[in-house]
Amino acid sequence: MGPEWVAIIALVALFVIGTVLPINMGALAYVAAWFVGMYALDLDEKEILAGVSGDLILTLIGVTYLFAIARNNGTVDLIVRTAVRAVGGRVALIPWVMFAVTAVLTGIGAVSPAACAIIGPIALGFAGRYGISPLMMGMFVVHGAQAGGFSPISIYGVITNSVMEDAGLPSSEITVFVASLVVNTIMAAILFVALGGRKLMAMRIDPDEPDTLDDDLHRGGATVPARGYGTSAPTGTQAQGVRRDQVLTLLAFVGVAVVALVFDKNIGFVAITAAVILAMLNAEEHKDAVKQIAWPTVLLVAGVSTYATILTTAGSPEFVGNWAAGLGAAAIGALVLCYVGGVVSAFASSTALLPVIIPIAVPLIADGGINAALFVAALAVSSTIVDVSPFSTNGALMLANRPDSISEPVYYKQILGYGVVVTLVGPLLVWAALVLPGW
């Protein structure tokens, strides 16, 4: 049995064990990476550990540390109140505003994890306070990031179009962009209907009322108590106005966004620098903020990203991709490649996968008569729509910033369940909508 099969079997095993038993899948992934790396790939420990994404780990630590401080001093609650006032208290508009803002950020060039890191904690703050499903709100942010993620000036868009050009394929920037925008918007609409969005349409919030655990939602002129996902009482956002430490925290948010997005600096380094500066200004108040960093999520992502590198080193994606290209029916091979992109990307970096998966598709495009632009669009969407997975950067960020009212195991199972559904069904639907019409 070749190493590619060993890596695939180990991946299935750790996924099954981590789902059935209450064991952090990151720990399981480290064990799998060690055994597969040493005994199937003949790697030493240093080579195995070289696969961990230090960038991703630092992003998780830095962002959750910064927002822990913001929660402690009431800044997150202040942002929530201001945004509610901006939409006239219409609860149903809040998820769509988060979706649109994240899409715009990635559409103008922000890295998808950076956009999710900035918008996700704020969006989930809304969910916790106003009875919106945290799963819906978190996934709206991720789908929003992917909706704008393939614009011609975005990171994904530039990578995809460059790879197509290098592979000698006719590029169609608008086709790939519109495909991702439409598919992710449809996914968000389905989530909105399935997770209580219609009930939110009748709800109104008076953003000028003092925030308490019993915040009132107004339905048709009648006042009803907030339901579902209440959170702890906020601090610092009452009628007395904005405090100095909240102003500084807001400036820190703006600074992080500007430095990370405009100057293209690592969001993890920028966020943790801002958090440390804020902590130094009021060390006693924020001395316990570091305990609020999402350490179980850090373990989860560190272990899984390490194993994803083992999977790639073993050649498993190329193995399956080449097998798909050798199938008799080009359309079936295209479907297999869509699933390869989806499954691998659910555990690994979409940015790293796109330059690998697209060249594998060249034989199918050349010999199978498949429309190049539509096929690449299908591969691109299949490889990024699964970023809702808790093992991907974006999904992990949503897990790390869950509302206080929902436990991490519960929210993890919700995101995992949705991620599994998208991974199993998403590539098939994308293939049917984009590949078959152009075959």
Side-chain angles (χ1 to χ4, degrees):
M1 182 183 297
E4 65 276 358
W5 274 112
V6 174
I8 292 172
I9 293 172
L11 173 65
V12 173
L14 73 89
F15 184 79
V16 171
I17 295 172
T19 302
V20 174
L21 300 178
I23 301 175
N24 188 298
M25 201 172 294
L28 293 170
Y30 267 126
V31 174
W34 187 45
F35 280 103
V36 174
M38 289 191 65
Y39 300 110
L41 298 174
D42 197 27
L43 302 176
D44 59 35
E45 282 90 346
K46 289 185 178 180
E47 292 172 317
I48 295 171
L49 290 174
V52 67
S53 174
D55 174 70
L56 172 55
I57 300 306
L58 180 60
T59 296
L60 287 172
I61 293 175
V63 168
T64 55
Y65 186 22
L66 176 59
F67 276 88
I69 291 175
R71 282 194 300 267
N72 288 349
N73 65 21
T75 304
V76 170
D77 191 71
L78 175 65
I79 295 172
V80 169
R81 174 192 288 277
T82 303
V84 170
R85 184 178 292 110
V87 298
R90 297 175 178 85
V91 179
L93 291 181
I94 295 174
W96 291 105
V97 169
M98 298 298 105
F99 179 93
V101 170
T102 316
V104 168
L105 286 176
T106 55
I108 62 177
V111 179
S112 179
C116 288
I118 292 168
I119 303 301
I122 298 172
L124 289 168
F126 280 109
R129 178 155 306 283
Y130 296 120
I132 304 172
S133 164
L135 178 62
M136 177 175 74
M137 188 66 98
M139 297 304 98
F140 257 59
V141 172
V142 179
H143 282 304
Q146 308 305 44
F150 283 92
S151 79
I153 62 173
S154 69
I155 301 298
Y156 286 159
V158 170
I159 291 173
T160 301
N161 296 321
S162 298
V163 172
M164 290 183 71
E165 183 178 350
D166 293 341
L169 300 174
S171 63
S172 180
E173 299 175 347
I174 299 302
T175 299
V176 178
F177 173 45
V178 171
S180 182
L181 177 63
V182 171
V183 169
N184 282 281
T185 302
I186 292 173
M187 295 297 297
I190 293 172
L191 282 169
F192 186 80
V193 173
L195 297 178
R198 288 174 295 179
K199 295 180 180 179
L200 299 179
M201 295 175 69
M203 296 180 181
R204 297 290 186 272
I205 300 167
D206 183 354
D208 295 316
E209 287 292 323
D211 286 321
T212 68
L213 273 174
D214 297 321
D215 277 345
D216 290 334
L217 298 178
H218 300 280
R219 180 190 290 123
T223 302
V224 296
R227 296 175 294 121
Y229 299 93
T231 186
S232 58
T235 61
T237 57
Q238 310 298 326
Q240 72 267 26
V242 183
R243 301 198 312 263
R244 175 178 173 274
D245 58 344
Q246 293 171 341
V247 172
L248 293 175
T249 305
L250 290 171
L251 291 175
F253 285 166
V254 173
V256 168
V258 170
V259 174
L261 302 182
V262 177
F263 295 98
D264 194 26
K265 298 300 181 181
N266 183 284
I267 184 73
F269 277 121
V270 178
I272 201 167
T273 300
V276 168
I277 292 173
L278 291 174
M280 291 174 64
L281 293 175
N282 198 341
E284 188 63 28
E285 179 183 353
H286 300 306
K287 63 180 181 182
D288 292 329
V290 71
K291 298 179 182 178
Q292 300 175 43
I293 295 173
W295 296 115
T297 303
V298 171
L299 173 60
L300 171 72
V301 175
V304 171
S305 65
T306 299
Y307 190 77
T309 302
I310 294 295
L311 196 69
T312 303
T313 303
S316 299
E318 290 85 353
F319 171 76
V320 178
N322 291 331
W323 171 77
L327 293 175
I332 300 301
L335 176 60
V336 173
L337 281 183
C338 285
Y339 269 104
V340 170
V343 172
V344 174
S345 184
F347 294 89
S349 168
S350 301
T351 305
L353 178 66
L354 288 171
V356 175
I357 196 71
I358 293 175
I360 295 175
V362 173
L364 286 174
I365 296 172
D367 303 330
I370 297 178
N371 182 282
L374 291 176
F375 187 15
V376 171
L379 287 175
V381 175
S382 297
S383 300
T384 53
I385 197 174
V386 296
D387 281 359
V388 295
S389 159
F391 314 117
S392 70
T393 308
N394 294 346
L397 284 167
M398 298 307 107
L399 177 62
N401 291 286
R402 73 191 188 284
D404 294 338
S405 57
I406 184 170
S407 69
E408 183 171 19
V410 171
Y411 199 39
Y412 168 75
K413 289 181 180 179
Q414 291 180 358
I415 297 179
L416 176 62
Y418 180 64
V420 169
V421 171
V422 172
T423 303
L424 293 178
V425 179
L428 175 62
L429 297 179
V430 170
W431 170 82
L434 297 176
V435 176
L436 286 185
W439 183 40

